[in-house]
Amino acid sequence: MYEKVVSRNPGEREFHQAVFEVMQSVGPIAEERSDYAQWSILQRICEPERQIIFRVPWVADDGKVEINRGFRVEFNSALGPFKGGLRFHPSVNLSIIKFLGFEQVFKNALTGMPIGGGKGGADFDPKGRSDGEVMRFCQSFMTELYRHVGEYTDVPAGDIGVGGREIGYLFGQYKRITNRYESGVITGKGLTWGGSQVRTEATGYGTVFFVEQMLQARGEHLEGKRVVVSGAGNVAIYAVEKAQALGAVVVAVSDSGGYVVDEAGIDLELLKEIKEVERGRLTEYVERRSGATHVTDGCIWDVPCDIALPCATQNELDESAAKTLAANGVTLVAEGANMPSTPAAVQLFQAAGVLFAPGKASNAGGVATSALEMQQNASRDSWHFDETEARLQEIMSEIHDTCLATSDHYGAPGNYVVGANLAGYVRVADAMVALGVI
Ligand code: GLU
């Protein structure tokens, strides 16, 4: 079946990787649920319900017309409207959007909330673009996308390169074209116009809540642990914040220009100022913080730690990085990004007895809080920060327990990859059976 997926989707390396990883886990289900084969569940799950590719023309500040390619892959809506973020990054292509959409299906199922899976984006690079350029790009992107999305159809959100600013421009254009203040059409909105408390923090916080659960299951805590977080975007920043709040010492973060080591612990306010306010580079961190060093050669995973949280991007942690981490005594790795560890790295961690949490479980807090935002929009309500954070924490702990129980049930106790894949798979598959051949 994997060979078939590869030949039907030639050249889509990241998509193949994501499919392979899930297919490797589903063996035990084939035995237990032989009815799935009759329904061709696995084949159907690997085929997106709909894929949209479109031209995005926009005018740059210098007057030149720029062209980008936009995508929305509506992967599976058995459990609810398609739900998943938009990524604006020059590396974006159909393979990347499909791998993200595929992962999203299982991740969203794991949250236990009524959301299907999808993903979108464009090969637009917001880096170095003015606010006006970003706005015009977002408006052009939504001028095509608006006809495919809706509160009950498909609900986008942010991902790499898409934060509050972009969500605002996208929602504004949707509202203008449709003449509807349809809050539930997009999540990650600002707090004064339909957004939810904790959505900004949710992916990073959720990852750390998941780590706490993994540790607690073994009678341990984050307190005093040495942590390395890759990335310096939305996920990384709030993973650092929550890890520090729970008593861990975060000694390194990274961006595409290198990584920073700060043995005294990352200065979060400074990091936020540089990344969130100034949209600057990490080189500026060391200019303003004595004792910190900036490293451009090598890899952030060279920094010894107890806990590693890859929160940057796909395939950022390969086999050799995994070897280094394991040799330096890492005990736990939890993915804040989507598919940051290569299959060989995951295998190595598992063989070395390192606790490993796959992104579709440990980074599900972002989309879960998006679903909470949808709930608030549907009831025209807005919840307080503490109440929303408590819901997030509860959801992460339920996902954790589901993964562990499922891994036990299928004879792979403690294997969070098997647990996450199979728990998510069964939820989606059962809904697909119930809804018939569609
Ligand atoms: N892009 C995020 C993810 O990878 C969030 C998606 C959402 O909130 O819809 O899960």
Side-chain angles (χ1 to χ4, degrees):
M1 254 181 243
Y2 174 70
E3 293 305 323
K4 234 180 184 166
V5 169
V6 171
S7 68
R8 276 171 75 78
N9 304 279
E12 296 176 1
R13 200 169 52 84
E14 294 83 2
F15 178 54
H16 302 162
Q17 184 183 332
V19 168
F20 188 74
E21 197 252 356
V22 168
M23 282 194 178
Q24 266 189 321
S25 305
V26 296
I29 294 214
E31 286 163 32
E32 192 178 277
R33 296 296 305 269
S34 52
D35 56 321
Y36 287 172
Q38 178 69 20
W39 288 93
S40 294
I41 293 295
L42 189 52
Q43 294 91 325
R44 263 199 284 163
I45 273 185
C46 293
E47 185 71 19
E49 288 182 32
R50 188 178 294 117
Q51 309 184 53
I52 303 143
I53 304 181
F54 51 101
R55 180 169 68 192
V56 190
W58 55 282
V59 184
D61 285 346
D62 63 7
K64 186 169 180 287
V65 174
E66 300 282 340
I67 304 296
N68 287 102
R69 186 172 294 171
F71 302 88
R72 186 73 183 167
V73 174
E74 299 182 330
F75 227 107
N76 194 302
S77 62
L79 289 172
F82 303 105
K83 180 85 197 87
L86 298 171
R87 175 176 293 190
F88 292 169
H89 191 270
S91 65
V92 163
N93 56 34
L94 185 60
S95 170
I96 288 184
I97 298 301
K98 280 172 72 177
F99 113 68
L100 288 165
F102 185 76
E103 293 263 307
Q104 199 84 44
V105 172
F106 304 100
K107 182 198 306 195
N108 294 5
L110 267 180
T111 66
M113 306 177 88
I115 43 179
K119 203 85 184 191
D123 59 357
F124 170 71
D125 189 357
K127 218 178 274 167
R129 292 297 181 183
S130 68
D131 283 352
E133 289 178 317
V134 170
M135 180 179 75
R136 291 191 295 278
F137 175 80
C138 289
Q139 290 177 337
S140 180
F141 186 87
M142 185 51 86
T143 300
E144 170 62 32
L145 190 70
Y146 88 95
R147 67 190 78 245
H148 308 291
V149 297
E151 180 181 2
Y152 298 109
T153 314
D154 184 354
V155 183
D159 195 80
I160 293 173
V162 177
R165 175 181 61 169
E166 291 74 19
I167 295 293
Y169 297 147
L170 290 163
F171 180 63
Q173 183 73 351
Y174 182 85
K175 181 176 86 63
R176 186 181 194 194
I177 295 174
T178 59
N179 197 34
R180 284 163 62 89
Y181 206 106
E182 190 186 327
S183 304
V185 72
I186 198 163
T187 60
K189 298 182 293 296
L191 293 178
T192 54
W193 42 278
S196 172
Q197 296 283 356
V198 194
R199 178 62 192 88
T200 305
E201 296 85 354
T203 314
Y205 277 22
T207 302
V208 174
F209 288 146
F210 197 92
V211 169
E212 262 292 89
Q213 292 292 319
M214 294 168 83
L215 291 170
Q216 265 174 33
R218 286 146 190 93
E220 287 183 53
H221 287 284
L222 259 171
E223 179 87 47
K225 294 275 194 298
R226 196 180 148 90
V227 178
V228 168
V229 178
S230 65
N234 171 261
V235 180
I237 288 173
Y238 292 95
V240 172
E241 182 164 289
K242 188 51 78 180
Q244 289 182 340
L246 294 175
V249 186
V250 183
V251 293
V253 292
S254 63
D255 65 12
S256 55
Y259 66 92
V260 156
V261 182
D262 190 342
E263 289 291 340
I266 293 294
D267 179 340
L268 187 64
E269 285 322 302
L270 179 57
L271 181 66
K272 283 187 180 177
E273 175 65 26
I274 293 168
K275 286 293 173 182
E276 293 187 329
V277 181
E278 299 166 16
R279 297 178 188 274
R281 315 291 306 151
L282 277 180
T283 41
E284 290 154 44
Y285 182 95
V286 289
E287 281 163 22
R288 294 188 227 167
R289 171 97 166 158
S290 60
T293 49
H294 186 256
V295 186
T296 50
D297 52 342
C299 162
I300 188 170
W301 308 119
D302 296 338
V303 182
C305 58
D306 303 310
I307 294 175
L309 305 179
C311 295
T313 195
Q314 67 272 359
N315 292 329
E316 54 160 312
L317 197 169
D318 63 11
E319 188 178 15
S320 91
K323 261 188 203 147
T324 310
L325 278 167
N328 286 337
V330 77
T331 57
L332 188 156
V333 179
E335 297 183 329
N338 291 311
M339 206 170 77
S341 316
T342 65
V346 177
Q347 239 173 36
L348 194 137
F349 288 138
Q350 291 177 333
V354 175
L355 280 175
F356 176 78
K360 55 171 86 73
S362 48
N363 77 28
V367 75
T369 308
S370 279
L372 298 180
E373 184 172 329
M374 292 161 75
Q375 274 184 32
Q376 291 168 77
N377 293 153
S379 55
R380 299 184 186 281
D381 197 0
S382 63
W383 309 341
H384 294 295
F385 190 96
D386 291 351
E387 175 187 356
T388 317
E389 189 186 19
R391 277 292 296 135
L392 168 63
Q393 200 165 359
E394 212 176 292
I395 292 166
M396 295 316 295
S397 119
E398 280 164 14
I399 297 174
H400 173 270
D401 295 351
T402 301
C403 289
L404 267 196
T406 309
S407 70
D408 272 345
H409 177 80
Y410 289 104
N415 186 331
Y416 289 89
V417 174
V418 167
N421 284 340
L422 296 192
Y425 188 86
V426 169
R427 282 186 187 165
V428 178
D430 284 346
M432 288 173 75
V433 170
L435 298 189
V437 181
I438 52 172

